[in-house]
Every structure is written in structure tokens, then in C-alpha cells.
Amino acid sequence: MKKIMKIEKTEIWMTCEKPLQLIDGQAIRGFFGNMYRNRPEFHGHIGGRLIYRHPLIQYKVFGGSALVIGLKEGAYLLKAVPKIEYLKIHFRKNPIVKQNTVSMMIPYGLTQEMISYTFLTPWIGLNEKNYKHYLQLKQEKTNISNFLNKILIGNILSICKSVGYTVDDKILVKSKLANLRSIEVKKDVQLTAFEGEFETNFLIPDLWGIGGKVSIGYGTVKRKNGDETQ
């Protein structure tokens, strides 16, 4: 029997007068980071130093609306966020016309069966080190699926470390990913990203991000079938 734990997840949805874009995740993170400067969970820094761990609060944009989502300690903190009048996006105030907070307990961990997920936003799986290896594999016309699967497993392990889950069995991943052109995650910063889907024997929270730049909305996954609360 695989070990399943229950973790808390909180979502804050905010609809603004003017629709937002995916790239606005960076500005939303900055807004909340300034609002809660004394809580590193909101901005990922301690005394100006970056915290190198998977963030427990993430900032996203879906259908023009903002989503702030948290797990465990992040979920607990988000439940206390009051009603906000506006989001400051690129130095301009964008009034919020609707705000809704949802909190729930969800299962997390290894499962007996493979579960299918799709990426709702581009997955940034490559860093400076493994990007060179990726280019080499492409040049050699080698199948890169196994290489990307190992990176996805590492992404899942990063979440486990942050939420305090001990992996006591093998994580399996099978992916179908397509290489996208480079995307601009912020001004003058271009990164290679992928779209597609994957299967794994691991329960990942819906609308949670894995990989790089997850705090600002990239790599967001959703289960293709089934209810995550089951």
C-alpha cells in the first residue's frame, strides 16, 4: 500500500476590472511580497537572500483572473489574507471586482495507479546545466523522453521536500511533451519551455506548478480525469 498524506490547499481567486496575462504572475508575486514583507513564504527571500526551495505559495493567471495558491504553511497563511481592493500591476492599480477564497484538504503522495496530468501553462524544465545536455541529445537525435522524465521526477521530489513527504518507493513518469519556442518570463529573459502531458504514480495538487519559475505561474498541472479530493 502506497503512503498517502493529507495536506491543506488554499486558493484565492481575484477578478480584476482589466483582464490579466500569464506574464503578470511576476507582478502579482511582487504585490503580495510587498504586502507581507515579514513572511518569506510570500516572496521567497530572507534578508535579501533567495530561499532555494520549492515555494509553498504560487502566483498565476487563468482566464484573465489572478490565482494565489498555497500548500501546507502557504495554505494556512493564505486563509488569513483579507479582501483586497486592487492589484498593482506594472505600477498601475487594477481594481478587484470579485475575490473568492477556497480551502480544502487533499491527498498527496505515491499511488498504486498511474495518473494523467496536462500542463495548463508552459513547463520550464531546463536549467543552465541540463540545457546543454538537452541540446547534445537533440544533436545526436537521441530520444529525449527519458531525459525529461527524470527531470519531472526531480520536480516532484522538490515538492516532497518542501511539504515534508518522505518518498519510500520509486516514482514513475511517462511524458508526451513538445518543445516550444523560447518564452519571455520577464523583460529580456527568455527560457525554453514545453507543453504537453505526462503520467505518474504520484498525486500532485491540481493547479500546482512544477519545474522552473513556478512561483509566477509556469509549469501548472491539472489532472485529466478524476477528483483530486478523492
Side-chain angles (χ1 to χ4, degrees):
M1 182 68 181
K2 304 294 185 182
K3 185 181 73 173
I4 300 291
M5 65 184 284
K6 287 279 190 176
I7 60 174
E8 188 171 17
K9 181 179 81 165
T10 298
E11 302 172 2
I12 302 177
W13 291 88
M14 289 163 285
T15 302
C16 297
E17 281 188 358
K18 295 181 180 179
L20 304 174
Q21 299 179 346
L22 175 62
I23 199 170
D24 292 330
Q26 179 78 43
I28 299 169
R29 181 174 184 261
F31 176 85
F32 278 88
N34 287 327
M35 187 174 173
Y36 294 100
R37 294 181 184 179
N38 64 327
R39 297 303 310 225
E41 295 91 346
F42 281 91
H43 48 73
H45 292 80
I46 294 181
R49 179 173 55 86
L50 183 65
I51 302 172
Y52 289 98
R53 73 165 189 172
H54 185 84
L56 291 180
I57 294 178
Q58 300 181 356
Y59 305 89
K60 310 167 187 289
V61 175
F62 288 109
S65 295
L67 168 63
V68 184
I69 182 171
L71 296 180
K72 290 200 76 175
E73 294 92 341
Y76 175 78
L77 290 170
L78 291 186
K79 287 196 298 185
V81 171
K83 186 172 177 59
I84 300 171
E85 293 184 3
Y86 63 86
L87 290 177
K88 199 168 187 179
I89 307 295
H90 310 305
F91 306 105
R92 293 184 178 180
K93 293 181 179 180
N94 194 342
I96 296 172
V97 297
K98 184 179 180 181
Q99 179 175 326
N100 185 40
T101 301
V102 180
S103 190
M104 67 194 79
M105 298 298 295
I106 60 169
Y108 177 88
L110 285 159
T111 63
Q112 297 285 359
E113 69 281 352
M114 297 291 281
I115 301 170
S116 296
Y117 294 90
T118 186
F119 279 110
L120 299 180
T121 58
W123 173 60
I124 301 172
L126 303 176
N127 53 33
E128 186 176 351
K129 182 178 179 180
N130 59 27
Y131 180 67
K132 294 178 181 178
H133 189 196
Y134 169 75
L135 290 179
Q136 182 180 349
L137 291 175
K138 285 193 71 175
Q139 187 175 8
E140 296 170 355
K141 296 184 178 180
T142 304
N143 189 323
I144 62 172
S145 292
N146 290 337
F147 173 67
L148 296 177
N149 291 344
K150 289 179 181 178
I151 296 175
L152 284 166
I153 291 171
N155 293 167
I156 295 171
L157 289 171
S158 293
I159 310 174
C160 293
K161 187 174 181 180
S162 284
V163 301
Y165 178 88
T166 301
V167 179
D168 55 10
D169 206 343
K170 190 174 182 179
I171 296 176
L172 305 174
V173 170
K174 293 192 299 182
S175 63
K176 295 180 182 178
L177 300 170
N179 185 201
L180 290 172
R181 61 179 175 80
S182 294
I183 58 172
E184 188 175 52
V185 295
K186 61 180 180 179
K187 188 176 181 181
D188 299 326
V189 177
Q190 302 270 339
L191 294 174
T192 299
F194 298 82
E195 62 181 357
E197 57 190 48
F198 65 96
E199 292 182 336
T200 181
N201 61 335
F202 205 94
L203 288 165
I204 304 171
D206 276 349
L207 303 182
W208 196 249
I210 63 175
K213 302 295 180 183
V214 294
S215 65
I216 58 173
Y218 291 91
T220 299
V221 304
K222 191 174 192 315
R223 197 177 309 185
K224 293 182 70 176
N225 296 297
D227 183 355
E228 72 168 337
T229 60
Q230 299 298 314

